Amino acid sequence: MIKTLYIRNFTLIEELSMQLYPGFSVITGETGAGKSIILGAIGLLLGNRADSKTIKQGAERCTIEAHFDISRYDLRNFFDENDIDYDDEDCILRRELTATGKSRAFINDTPVPLTLMRELGDQLVDVHSQHQNLLLQKEDFQLGVLDIIADDHKQLIDYQVAYDSYRESLRRLEQMQAEIEQSRKNEDFVRFQYQELHAAALKSGEQEELEQQADMLNHAEEIKQAFFETDNLLSAENTGIVSQLKRAFSSIKSVEKVFPKTENMAERIDSAYIELKDVAAEISSLLESIDFDPAQLDAVNERLDNLYTLQKKYHVATTEELIEKEKQLAEQLSHIENSDDELKELEEQTAACLKKAEQLAQQLTRMRKDAAKVVEKQMLERLVPLGIPYIRFGVNLTSKPLAADGADKVSFLFSANTSTPMQPVSQVASGGEIARVMLSLKAMISGAVKLPTIIFDEIDTGVSGKIAEKMALMMQEMGNKDRQVISITHLPQIAARGSHHYKVFKVETPQGTQTQMKQLEPDERIHEIAQMLSGESVTEAALQNSRELLGVKN
């Protein structure tokens, strides 16, 4: 509920700070005094679009701020999910507008998108105006009322989980059916591609080996010549490096005893001799193995050409990618061959999900039918005292295909007299009757759910006398149990029932006309209601009548 409201530089308001309370409060004031300005400011806190023209003339910035007690609304998850500090006893909503057209929204001093402020605002304040009466045209609103009275929140959640599972299973079934149909159209082509790649007997790393082999065969003569020259330099009988190193080793070794410094040299020459002797042996062996074979080169090039052709055809760059493509084609063929079994399994799963959703929908329907009887009974009890003595009110519940909210269509039916058949309330009820229907609906559900702060904007239009008093009692009842109900009214019968009374008025200042608002003291309240009764000239009879309405003794 709203604890305080602060407005600065908004249209005709220079600065306004008001404390608000639980229970039933009323706001009065002459037509044009600025009650709609107060509502407009609250609307900005609820995420309504802003217009820089609403900033007070001459001001650069407009600020609207409200402090809320949200301890009864289970909103911790909202704050955690959006990374906003949580204080259930002092939640602050602030909106700032600048003359340049910029608008900023804050929740607990954290900047937030306007959509997030609107999401939270919808859970904190319900402004009921003539515009909101249009809700009676919407089936989801009527179904929502029925669900509140049915207290079927848990069952509705269970159904929605089952319905979502059914929809997901159905989506996968339809996707599989489409994929199977397309795959079967392409089966011959897929099979041809697989057989072509399978026949190629692809091996990982084969391409690199063949390319190296082709390069060697193309340069066989050059390689053989290089090996021949190297072998001759290393292994010639008298002039070869290996034989000369052997002689050098023997020469140094012969003077080792008389010249010890040569010991290390002899070891190094011997090491070089052993290493080069091994190299010479390898060169000699390779020389024998190198031979130009045109037939082998043709075979290698033919295999490489085959691999390159396949790579180009399948838009890949390596043999490994061809192997992966072959694997994918094999999986496609396997899927096609096993598709009937997979399809049957998914069809059975979808049917099971549908059956479960239908069973839970039937449970919802039973609870809603029971709730419909309660709604019909309570609405009659509330509407008859509100000046519709021959009211008939019915809840028509019919079936519809499964949807996110169940399998029920609901329509509130209404007739104000005994001779006219009941029809949808939005089509046959007058404006005043619809206002009373909406008030009765909200009064009914206020006992079953944690309603946010409700602000009734001149819901009493077109009524007076005893009916106005009954409406006041109904709003007063809604304000019980720490709920907060605020009524903007022109009727003294309603104003007198408020636990707190605020007046909106205009004053002329050197800076121009300003709208102000104040909480009335007991004597001021008597005078205000007397003025509502008698007009500008307050008579003693009006004052006495005001005291009687307020239950104040002389």
Side-chain angles (χ1 to χ4, degrees), residues 503-522:
K503 181 177 180 178
V504 178
F505 55 96
K506 284 182 178 178
V507 295
E508 294 298 328
T509 71
Q511 292 75 35
T513 304
Q514 292 186 9
T515 290
Q516 297 182 2
M517 178 177 172
K518 66 175 294 187
Q519 183 176 352
L520 298 181
E521 299 294 336

Side-chain angles (χ1 to χ4, degrees), residues 274-463:
I274 294 170
E275 181 68 21
L276 283 176
K277 185 178 179 182
D278 287 342
V279 172
E282 288 184 33
I283 292 293
S284 180
S285 175
L286 288 172
L287 179 60
E288 294 296 325
S289 67
I290 296 297
D291 196 15
F292 176 66
D293 186 349
Q296 185 182 5
L297 179 59
D298 288 343
V300 170
N301 284 332
E302 183 179 353
R303 178 60 172 170
L304 283 172
D305 287 343
N306 186 27
L307 294 178
Y308 294 151
T309 300
L310 289 173
Q311 289 169 12
K312 184 176 181 181
K313 182 175 182 178
Y314 290 97
H315 306 289
V316 297
T318 65
T319 304
E320 281 65 28
E321 290 177 284
L322 284 175
I323 294 171
E324 181 62 28
K325 179 66 175 179
E326 180 186 352
K327 182 180 176 183
Q328 292 172 0
L329 292 169
E331 290 174 352
Q332 277 186 261
L333 289 173
S334 175
H335 182 66
I336 293 171
E337 291 164 359
N338 299 320
S339 60
D340 287 341
D341 292 339
E342 294 177 11
L343 186 64
K344 183 179 179 181
E345 182 180 346
L346 192 49
E347 285 173 341
E348 292 173 351
Q349 178 183 325
T350 303
C353 288
L354 175 60
K355 183 177 180 181
K356 183 177 181 180
E358 287 175 337
Q359 290 173 342
L360 292 172
Q362 289 169 5
Q363 182 182 6
L364 277 176
T365 298
R366 289 192 294 270
M367 296 180 73
R368 286 164 174 171
K369 285 181 176 179
D370 291 341
K373 296 174 184 177
V374 175
V375 171
E376 290 173 344
K377 180 176 180 294
Q378 289 196 18
M379 288 298 287
L380 290 176
E381 291 173 352
R382 293 179 182 278
L383 285 168
V384 169
L386 292 183
I388 317 178
Y390 303 110
I391 172 73
R392 285 183 293 152
F393 190 92
V395 179
N396 184 34
L397 207 61
T398 57
S399 62
K400 68 177 182 182
L402 286 187
D405 55 7
D408 304 305
K409 289 182 67 174
V410 64
S411 178
F412 289 166
L413 304 179
F414 175 89
S415 175
N417 51 66
T418 56
S419 60
T420 304
M422 289 193 295
Q423 296 183 53
V425 61
S426 61
Q427 298 178 15
V428 296
S430 67
E433 289 167 342
I434 286 180
R436 281 173 268 181
V437 168
M438 284 296 291
L439 174 61
S440 299
L441 285 172
K442 292 200 171 182
M444 177 180 64
I445 65 178
S446 67
V449 70
K450 295 175 182 176
L451 284 177
T453 293
I454 300 180
I455 301 175
F456 288 107
D457 181 19
E458 299 185 357
I459 195 173
D460 49 36
T461 301
V463 299

Side-chain angles (χ1 to χ4, degrees), residues 527 530-531 533-540 542-543:
H527 187 274
Q531 193 170 44
L533 286 165
S534 65
E536 191 67 31
S537 178
V538 176
T539 64
E540 184 56 40
L543 289 169

Side-chain angles (χ1 to χ4, degrees), residues 233-247:
L233 288 169
L234 290 173
S235 304
E237 188 171 346
N238 293 315
T239 59
I241 296 173
V242 173
S243 62
Q244 291 186 41
L245 277 174
K246 186 176 182 181
R247 289 198 298 272

Side-chain angles (χ1 to χ4, degrees), residues 16-239:
L16 173 67
S17 181
M18 293 302 304
Q19 186 171 355
L20 301 172
Y21 303 91
F24 179 44
S25 301
V26 295
I27 298 175
T28 61
E30 296 179 1
T31 300
K35 298 184 293 296
S36 61
I37 297 176
I38 306 296
L39 271 183
I42 293 174
L44 289 180
L45 288 178
L46 305 184
N48 292 350
R49 293 183 64 85
D51 186 345
S52 59
K53 295 178 182 177
T54 57
I55 298 177
K56 191 176 189 328
Q57 189 172 4
E60 295 182 357
R61 182 183 300 273
C62 160
T63 301
I64 300 159
E65 180 176 291
H67 291 241
F68 290 82
D69 180 345
I70 59 172
S71 55
R72 299 177 64 246
Y73 294 114
D74 300 325
L75 291 172
R76 182 61 183 258
N77 287 342
F78 172 88
F79 286 81
D80 290 344
E81 290 169 3
N82 293 288
D83 196 23
I84 300 173
D85 291 339
Y86 177 72
D87 185 340
D88 60 353
E89 293 184 355
D90 190 26
C91 174
I92 307 170
L93 269 62
R94 185 170 79 255
R95 190 83 179 271
E96 295 179 356
L97 313 178
T98 66
T100 58
K102 292 183 180 179
S103 169
R104 301 176 69 194
F106 300 84
I107 299 175
N108 289 343
D109 291 327
T110 299
V112 297
L114 198 57
T115 52
L116 201 63
M117 175 172 270
R118 188 178 300 121
E119 182 181 344
L120 178 60
D122 285 343
Q123 300 179 72
L124 298 181
V125 181
D126 175 12
V127 179
H128 183 100
S129 61
Q130 293 295 321
H131 173 72
Q132 203 186 43
N133 291 335
L134 297 175
L135 287 174
L136 280 175
Q137 299 177 7
K138 297 184 177 181
E139 181 189 334
D140 58 347
F141 170 77
Q142 299 178 53
L143 187 61
V145 170
L146 211 56
D147 283 333
I148 289 172
I149 300 303
D151 192 20
D152 60 8
H153 180 71
K154 180 183 181 302
Q155 289 79 6
L156 185 57
I157 293 296
D158 290 343
Y159 165 76
Q160 288 171 340
V161 170
Y163 176 74
D164 288 344
S165 296
Y166 161 66
R167 292 293 302 171
E168 175 59 20
S169 184
L170 181 62
R171 183 194 66 77
R172 288 191 287 115
L173 175 61
E174 291 171 346
Q175 181 179 351
M176 178 179 285
Q177 289 171 333
E179 289 175 353
I180 290 172
E181 182 180 356
Q182 186 63 36
S183 294
R184 284 179 174 160
K185 288 180 181 178
N186 298 332
E187 181 177 2
D188 291 342
F189 181 60
V190 171
R191 192 173 299 280
F192 167 78
Q193 288 185 312
Y194 170 73
Q195 290 173 347
E196 182 178 44
L197 291 175
H198 186 68
L202 302 166
K203 297 176 183 177
S204 180
E206 178 188 17
Q207 181 178 334
E208 291 78 6
E209 292 179 8
L210 288 171
E211 287 172 341
Q212 290 175 7
Q213 191 175 354
D215 202 29
M216 185 270 291
L217 288 169
N218 279 318
H219 298 85
E221 291 299 328
E222 298 173 37
I223 297 170
K224 193 174 183 71
Q225 180 63 31
F227 281 172
F228 177 80
E229 290 180 0
T230 304
D231 181 60
N232 187 50
L233 288 169
L234 290 173
S235 304
E237 188 171 346
N238 293 315
T239 59

